Amino acid sequence: MLRDATPKTIRLAEYTPPTFTIERVALTFDLDVERTEVEAELLISRVPGTQGPLVLNGDADAEGSGQLLSLTIDGVVPAQTAWSLGGEALTLHAPPDRFTLTTRRRLSPSKNKAFEGLYASGSGLFTQCEAEGFRRITWFLDRPDVMSIYTVTLRADPARFPVLLSNGNPVSQTDEVHEGKPRRVAVWHDPHKKPCYLFAVVAADLKARHDTFTTQSGQHVDLNVWVRPQDLDQTAHCMDSLKKSMRWDETRFGREYDLKVFNLVAVSDFNMGAMENKGLNIFNTKFVLARPDTATDVDFAGIEGVVGHEYFHNWSGNRVTCRDWFQLSLKEGFTVFRDQEFSADVGSRAVKRIEEVRRLRSLQFPEDGGPTAHPVRPDSYVEISNFYTVTIYEKGAEVVRMGLTLLGPEVFRKGTDLYFARHDGQAVTTDDFVACLAEVSGRDFSQFKRWYTQAGTPTVSSSSEWDAAKGTLTLTLSQKVPATPGQPEKLPMLVPVTTALLGPSGARLPLVVDGVQRGDEVVLELTQATQRFVFSGLTQRPVPSILRGFSAPVLLETDDDEAALLFRLAHDDDAFNRVEAGQELFLRHLLASVAQVQVNEAPLAPSKALLDATQTALSSALTPTADPALLALALSVPGLDVLGDRLPWADYSSAFLAREHLIAALAQALTPLLEQVDAHLSKSLDGKPYRFAPDDVGRRSLRNLLVAWRARLDDGEAVVLEHLGRAGSMTDTQAALALLCSSTSPARDQALSTFYATWKAEALMMDKWFALQATSTRPQALDDVMALVKHEAFTLENPNRARSLVAALAMSNPLRFHEASGRGYVFLADQVRAIDAFNPQIAARFLTPLTRWKRQDPPRQAVMKRELQRILDREGCSKDVYELVTKSLA
Ligand code: PHE
Ligand code: ZN
C-alpha cells in the first residue's frame, strides 16, 4: 500500500481534557464559489494549571495547505519562531494565558467534493462540520468539549447569494458597495455556547416557506424552510412535521425551543440525511421535499422522522453535547429513540415498532456479527466518520428504550429531566446519562452499562416446562453474548424480557412469578447466563408471549412449535409478537424450502396450516376492525436479507427461488380473496385525495403487497399495469414500477421511459428512476446497472445519485449483486476506488457489503477479498477506507 504512514488509532482511554478554551469566536466570511476568505478571531484562554503549547486543528482543503493569509496575536504579527504550521495543525509554542488569535485563510468551495467544511452545491454555498469539518474552515480546537459563543459576519454578492444564514439569531443585514461591487452583509449571533461541529453557514439563492410557532411559555419563533424557488410547492409536509416536532418535544419531554428563528435548509449534495446545526438545520433534499405525486408514504414518513430527529437534537446533542466522539451515541442513540417515540405518537405505534426492529435486524445485527462490530460506546477509532453506524444510532436507541422499559414512563421522564437540567451547556458522557437514570430510580445500573461497552448481539433462548399437578410453568431463559473483534470474552447482560402468558382464548392471565403477584405483563430481568422463572396458580398450560414489543435487542430462540406460533398469530395481543409469529411461520417454511432447492429439488409448496393461517389473516382485512398496516407487515414474506442471515452462508439464489415459489403459491391459492380485499381497500383509496395518515398508509401498503403477490400469477403483468393506471400517488406508482422493473416485458421499458420523460428535471425523481432499475431482480439487472453508470443523468459526485444506483445494487439487491461470477464485486470496487479520490466518507460507506465476505461461499469470498485489497491498494487511499478494509481483512 502506498501511504506515508499508518493512520493513527484514537483511544477513549487516552482522553485528556482540553488545556485551552475558546470563549468567543468571531468569524467573517467573504463568500464566493471559487474563492472564499475566512477571518477567525478567537478569544482563547489557558485552562488554569495546565502547560504546553496550543495545537489547533486545521486540515488542508482540496487546494492544499498553503492558504494561511495572515496571523496575529492580540493584533500583532508574532515572530516566525513563535508558531509553526503543518498540514493538520497550527501550533503556538508559548502563547499568552489569555489572548486573541486572528487568522485569515483562503478556501476553494467549488473544488470541495468531499462535502465536509465549506462547499458549493448548485449555485449556493453550504457547510458541514460534524464530526471534524470545522478544521477545514479555520484553525480551531476541533473537539466537542470546547464550547464557544459565536458571532458570524457574512459578505457576498446579493445577486448570487441573496440569502445569508448562520446559527442563532439575525443581528443585522445591510447592502453596501465594497471596492465598487455590491455586497450584502449579514451578521448572526448565537447566544448559546456550542461546539464547533454545530457551526453552519448558508449563502444561496433560496426561497422560504414561512410559518410561526409559539412555544409553551409564549415565545414567538419564526420558522423557515429554505429551498430552491421551484421546490417551494414541496415543503408543506416538512413545515408541518417541524411544528409537530416542536409541540411534541414540549409535551413529551418538556423541552422548549430557545431562539427567535429556526431555519431549515435543503441541499442536494449531502453525505448524510441531515444535520442539527444550532438554529440552522441543513437537510438532504430527500428529507425535505414531498408532494403526493413525487413522494411515497415511506418518503413522507422519512421526512417526518428526520425533521423530528434534527429538531430534537436541539436538546439532546446541542444544549447537552458529547464530551468526545466516543460518546456519539449519547446524542444519536437518545435522539433516535426520541424520533422513534415521536413517530409512534403521531402515527401507529405498533407499525413503527415493527419497522424499527426490521431495520435493526437487517442492518445492525449483521454489523454486530461482522468484522466492524463495535460497542455502542466504542473504545477506539481511526476515522470517526466510520462510526456513524446503525450500532451507534439504532442499537443506541434500543439501549435507551430498555432504560424506559426498566424504569417505566414516569421515572424515566424524571431521569431525562434531571439529565437536561444537570448538564445543560455541558459536554458529557453516556455514563452521565445513565447516572441520571440510576439516581431517579435508585437502581444499580452497573450491569446495564455493559450494553454500552460489549459489542455483539446476545442470543436469548427460552424454554418452558409445564407441571400440570402443581399448576406451574417454568420458563428457563439463558443468554450468550458472542465474541466480537477485540472482545473474545463477554459477561452476561441485563436483558429486560417483557412477558405475558396467554390463556386458551388468547387473553392475558394474571401472573404470579416466583410467588409474587405481578399483574398480567411483567418485565423479567435476565441478569445471569441462565435463569428460571416459575409462574404459578395456573389451571391449564398457557402459551408464553415473551420479548413483547421487542423489549431487548437480542436474537430470540424459543421452543414454540407450529401450534404455538399459529395460536399467537391468531391471538397474541402484543401486535409485535403477533406479527412476529407469522413471520416465523413463513421463515420456517422458507428455510425448509431452501434446503430442497439446494439439493436440486423443487421448492416446497406451503402447508395447509400456512395457507389457512394466511387466508384467515387476509379475510380479516374485510372486517370493520381490520388494521391493514399490521396485516401487510404480518403477510410480507421475509426478504432475501433476512433469509440469508438464517442460512449457513447467504445463498440468495436458492432463497430467491424458494421465496418466489411461496408467494406464487399463496397468490394462486387465494386469488379470489386477494381480488376481494383489493376491491375493499380500493373503495377507501381510489378517487380520494392523497393523505399521509396512518389508515390510508396502511391501506396502500396492504394493497401494494397484494398486487405484488398477484404479479406472480400468469396474468400478473396485466394486474400490475392496471395498478399503474389507477395509481393515485407516487406510493402506488413506485410499487407498480418496481414490479414491472423485475420483468423483461416491453411494458417495462415503456413505463421507465415515460417516467424519465416526466421527471427528468427533478433530481429526487431521477434517483428513484435509477434505484428502480438497480433493485430489479431480472437476470440482466447487473448489466443494466453497469450501463447506467454511463447514463448522461448519472454522476458519482452527487451522493444521492451514487446511492440510487451503486449502493442500491450493493445493499438492496443481494440476488444480483452477489451473482456467482463476482462481477458485482468488481463493479463495486471500481466505483469505490473512483469515489474515494474525492469523497472518502461515501467511499467507506459503499464498500460495507464487501466487508461481509464471511457470509458468502468460498469462491465468492475469494473475489470479495481480492477486491477489498484492490480498494486498499489505490494510491492515496483515504483513512476512512483504510480503516474498514483493514478491519475486514484482519
Ligand atoms: N448528526 C447528524 C444526525 O444524525 C448526522 C450527520 C453526521 C450529518 C455527520 C452529517 C455529518 O442527525
Ligand atoms: Zn442525529
Side-chain angles (χ1 to χ4, degrees):
M1 207 211 13
L2 304 155
R3 61 164 46 252
D4 312 340
T6 307
K8 197 169 150 238
T9 299
I10 317 288
R11 289 175 211 285
L12 171 58
E14 292 167 10
Y15 171 84
T16 51
T19 51
F20 288 88
T21 56
I22 304 179
E23 296 163 35
R24 282 180 183 275
V25 178
L27 297 171
T28 305
F29 286 80
D30 260 302
L31 291 155
D32 190 53
V33 171
E34 302 306 329
R35 204 188 116 135
T36 286
E37 278 185 28
V38 192
E39 183 183 272
E41 201 181 287
L42 313 179
L43 176 58
I44 303 178
S45 45
R46 180 180 286 284
V47 174
T50 65
Q51 284 171 355
L54 170 63
V55 184
L56 297 166
N57 309 99
D59 268 8
D61 82 344
E63 274 211 303
S65 59
Q67 338 83 322
L68 176 65
L69 303 174
S70 67
L71 180 158
T72 62
I73 291 177
D74 292 327
V76 179
V77 178
Q80 276 290 332
T81 52
W83 58 282
S84 52
L85 180 64
E88 295 186 350
L90 170 64
T91 305
L92 305 188
H93 300 302
D97 280 350
R98 191 157 192 270
F99 64 101
T100 298
L101 173 71
T102 308
T103 61
R104 283 199 311 128
R105 177 175 180 170
R106 189 167 48 229
L107 300 172
S108 324
S110 65
K111 297 208 173 76
N112 181 355
K113 297 292 175 197
F115 307 132
E116 244 197 309
L118 179 71
Y119 65 92
S121 174
S123 58
L125 292 171
F126 303 82
T127 57
Q128 171 54 46
C129 293
E130 187 176 7
E132 298 179 336
F134 194 70
R135 63 184 67 183
R136 292 166 65 100
I137 294 174
T138 193
W139 291 275
F140 204 76
L141 290 174
D142 189 355
R143 45 186 291 169
D145 55 358
V146 172
M147 299 171 81
S148 325
I149 298 288
Y150 286 68
T151 304
V152 177
T153 304
L154 304 171
R155 289 201 211 110
D157 175 358
R160 301 182 66 181
F161 306 104
V163 177
L164 301 174
L165 307 172
S166 191
N167 313 92
N169 294 319
V171 175
S172 63
Q173 180 168 303
T174 51
D175 285 325
E176 304 169 357
V177 177
H178 186 75
E179 289 170 4
K181 286 181 288 180
R183 283 322 242 178
R184 180 158 294 172
V185 182
V187 179
W188 290 80
H189 177 75
D190 185 353
H192 299 278
K193 274 204 304 178
K194 65 169 173 288
C196 66
Y197 81 85
L198 291 173
F199 166 80
V201 156
V202 170
D205 186 359
L206 302 173
K207 285 274 179 295
R209 171 181 289 265
H210 182 257
D211 212 322
T212 61
F213 182 85
T214 307
T215 69
Q216 60 185 6
S217 74
Q219 299 300 307
H220 174 97
V221 185
D222 278 317
L223 311 177
N224 298 302
V225 173
W226 296 94
V227 296
R228 299 182 312 167
Q230 64 266 42
D231 294 332
L232 266 180
D233 65 348
Q234 296 186 60
T235 51
H237 177 62
C238 178
M239 181 61 88
D240 192 46
S241 302
L242 175 60
K243 290 191 289 181
K244 274 191 194 163
S245 307
M246 296 177 84
R247 195 59 79 207
W248 182 87
D249 213 10
E250 293 181 344
T251 47
R252 189 57 206 275
F253 279 89
R255 300 296 110 202
E256 201 174 313
Y257 190 60
D258 53 7
L259 289 166
K260 296 193 182 87
V261 297
F262 185 89
N263 285 310
L264 188 161
V265 178
V267 62
S268 57
D269 292 289
F270 201 77
N271 288 345
M272 308 279 277
M275 180 63 212
E276 70 263 25
N277 317 298
K278 184 78 188 189
L280 177 53
N281 288 6
I282 297 182
F283 272 61
N284 189 323
T285 44
K286 181 175 164 49
F287 293 108
V288 175
L289 305 180
R291 242 178 15 215
D293 61 324
T294 62
T296 64
D297 292 336
V298 170
D299 296 328
F300 273 84
I303 292 167
E304 185 175 85
V306 176
V307 168
H309 180 97
E310 305 311 329
Y311 175 73
F312 303 143
H313 267 315
N314 190 52
W315 276 94
S316 48
N318 301 3
R319 290 288 288 254
V320 182
T321 196
C322 302
R323 187 192 72 172
D324 55 74
W325 292 119
F326 298 101
Q327 319 298 329
L328 183 56
S329 196
L330 174 77
K331 74 177 178 82
E332 295 305 348
F334 188 23
T335 304
V336 170
F337 167 78
R338 278 153 53 69
D339 84 54
Q340 289 176 346
E341 284 297 293
F342 166 60
S343 297
D345 283 345
V346 300
S348 160
R349 179 164 286 272
V351 169
K352 177 70 181 146
R353 186 64 188 139
I354 293 161
E355 288 169 352
E356 281 155 25
V357 176
R358 283 194 179 175
R359 183 176 160 77
L360 190 78
R361 284 179 175 154
S362 70
L363 300 175
Q364 199 277 325
F365 283 15
E367 179 167 277
D368 231 354
T372 57
H374 53 275
V376 170
R377 190 194 67 192
D379 312 303
S380 68
Y381 61 77
V382 171
E383 169 53 62
I384 187 56
S385 299
N386 286 333
F387 283 76
Y388 287 76
T389 61
V390 274
T391 298
I392 302 293
Y393 277 67
E394 272 76 11
K395 189 176 182 178
E398 291 299 318
V399 174
V400 174
R401 184 175 296 285
M402 285 188 286
L404 167 64
T405 301
L406 290 167
L407 265 50
E410 287 84 29
V411 179
F412 181 79
R413 170 66 193 271
K414 282 192 188 131
T416 58
D417 283 353
L418 176 63
Y419 169 74
F420 288 126
R422 175 180 288 172
H423 297 297
D424 190 10
Q426 298 178 358
V428 300
T429 65
T430 55
D431 284 342
D432 294 319
F433 178 78
V434 175
C436 292
L437 299 187
E439 193 169 316
V440 294
S441 64
R443 289 184 53 128
D444 178 0
F445 267 74
S446 41
Q447 183 176 17
F448 182 85
K449 281 202 210 165
R450 290 178 193 156
W451 285 107
Y452 286 96
T453 54
Q454 292 194 148
T457 307
T459 297
V460 170
S461 321
S462 91
S463 60
S464 55
E465 227 179 288
W466 170 241
D467 186 329
K470 289 194 194 137
T472 59
L473 185 89
T474 304
L475 194 64
T476 306
L477 298 178
S478 45
Q479 60 167 310
K480 212 177 150 8
V481 190
T484 48
Q487 295 188 332
E489 309 290 342
K490 297 283 171 51
L491 295 166
M493 302 282 212
L494 191 174
V495 187
V497 184
T498 304
T499 302
L501 299 181
L502 308 178
S505 66
R508 279 188 255 169
L509 301 175
L511 300 178
V512 180
V513 190
D514 299 329
V516 182
Q517 283 201 345
R518 302 289 296 268
D520 60 2
E521 190 179 63
V522 63
V523 180
L524 302 176
E525 295 185 15
L526 174 63
T527 55
Q528 286 145 43
T530 297
Q531 239 165 301
R532 263 178 200 82
F533 301 90
V534 180
F535 296 85
S536 53
L538 301 161
T539 52
Q540 276 187 55
R541 176 168 199 153
V543 173
S545 169
I546 76 165
L547 205 72
R548 290 160 71 84
F550 199 69
S551 57
V554 299
L555 268 162
L556 179 65
E557 289 171 355
T558 67
D559 58 355
D560 279 343
D561 56 12
E562 194 182 38
L565 290 173
L566 288 165
F567 179 83
R568 293 204 292 105
L569 172 62
H571 297 298
D572 201 323
D573 69 329
D574 179 61
F576 177 85
N577 266 5
R578 192 164 66 242
V579 168
E580 189 76 351
Q583 294 289 292
E584 187 59 27
L585 284 166
F586 276 141
L587 262 171
R588 288 188 188 180
H589 164 84
L590 285 168
L591 292 173
S593 186
V594 169
Q596 291 291 108
V597 174
Q598 286 176 327
V599 294
N600 293 317
E601 298 284 334
L604 291 180
S607 67
K608 167 108 180 24
L610 189 57
L611 271 177
D612 287 350
T614 308
Q615 181 170 23
T616 308
L618 205 50
S619 312
S620 75
L622 300 168
T623 64
T625 55
D627 185 338
L630 279 177
L631 276 172
L633 290 166
L635 293 173
S636 61
V637 175
L640 296 186
D641 52 344
V642 177
L643 265 164
D645 288 343
R646 294 275 283 250
L647 294 166
W649 68 274
D651 180 0
Y652 296 117
S653 55
S654 302
F656 178 69
L657 289 178
R659 186 174 185 273
E660 290 300 302
H661 189 80
L662 171 61
I663 299 176
L666 293 172
Q668 238 145 32
L670 304 169
T671 309
L673 181 57
L674 298 180
E675 288 169 358
Q676 227 185 322
V677 175
D678 185 306
H680 177 71
L681 297 167
S682 300
K683 274 187 285 174
S684 316
L685 293 172
D686 291 346
K688 308 259 163 65
Y690 173 91
R691 293 183 312 140
F692 176 67
D695 49 355
D696 275 3
V697 172
R699 290 184 185 114
R700 280 187 290 270
S701 69
L702 183 58
R703 191 169 72 158
N704 279 319
L705 180 91
L706 302 186
V707 169
W709 284 16
R710 288 158 67 209
R712 269 79 171 186
L713 297 171
D714 288 342
D715 65 343
E717 185 172 317
V719 173
V720 175
L721 288 174
E722 196 202 320
H723 189 49
L724 188 61
R726 71 179 170 180
S729 68
M730 185 46 73
T731 305
D732 293 333
T733 305
Q734 185 173 299
L737 284 176
L739 293 167
L740 266 185
C741 267
S742 287
S743 76
T744 46
S745 97
R748 169 194 190 271
D749 299 338
Q750 181 54 50
L752 279 172
S753 36
T754 305
F755 189 98
Y756 185 79
T758 314
W759 296 115
K760 220 164 52 194
E762 298 272 347
L764 294 174
M765 296 296 109
M766 281 298 94
D767 293 340
K768 289 189 189 297
W769 186 79
F770 280 104
L772 281 164
Q773 299 175 72
T775 51
S776 154
T777 58
R778 70 184 201 152
Q780 62 271 57
L782 189 50
D783 299 285
D784 294 341
V785 172
M786 288 175 172
L788 282 169
V789 287
K790 305 196 181 79
H791 192 280
E792 57 171 3
F794 186 76
T795 169
L796 278 182
E797 284 188 357
N798 173 258
N800 286 358
R801 190 58 49 81
R803 275 188 280 262
S804 75
L805 190 63
V806 179
L809 171 76
M811 297 177 193
S812 306
N813 193 352
L815 178 69
R816 297 304 165 202
F817 173 63
H818 292 279
E819 186 186 283
S821 68
R823 289 192 309 152
Y825 310 144
V826 178
F827 169 76
L828 180 61
D830 285 340
Q831 307 311 313
V832 168
R833 283 170 58 105
I835 297 169
D836 195 33
F838 57 86
N839 190 334
Q841 285 183 19
I842 296 289
R845 282 189 180 268
F846 279 26
L847 68 81
T848 315
L850 291 171
T851 66
R852 311 272 160 82
W853 55 268
K854 284 203 178 113
R855 296 294 303 132
Q856 295 302 316
D857 63 349
R860 287 182 177 85
Q861 288 190 2
V863 186
M864 293 173 94
K865 287 197 274 183
R866 185 193 73 205
E867 291 306 303
L868 281 168
Q869 188 62 48
R870 196 161 65 88
I871 290 170
L872 189 63
D873 287 344
R874 189 184 70 84
E875 191 174 342
C877 169
S878 67
K879 67 176 177 175
D880 309 53
V881 164
Y882 169 88
E883 177 174 32
L884 295 192
V885 174
T886 51
K887 282 182 175 168
S888 68
L889 290 176

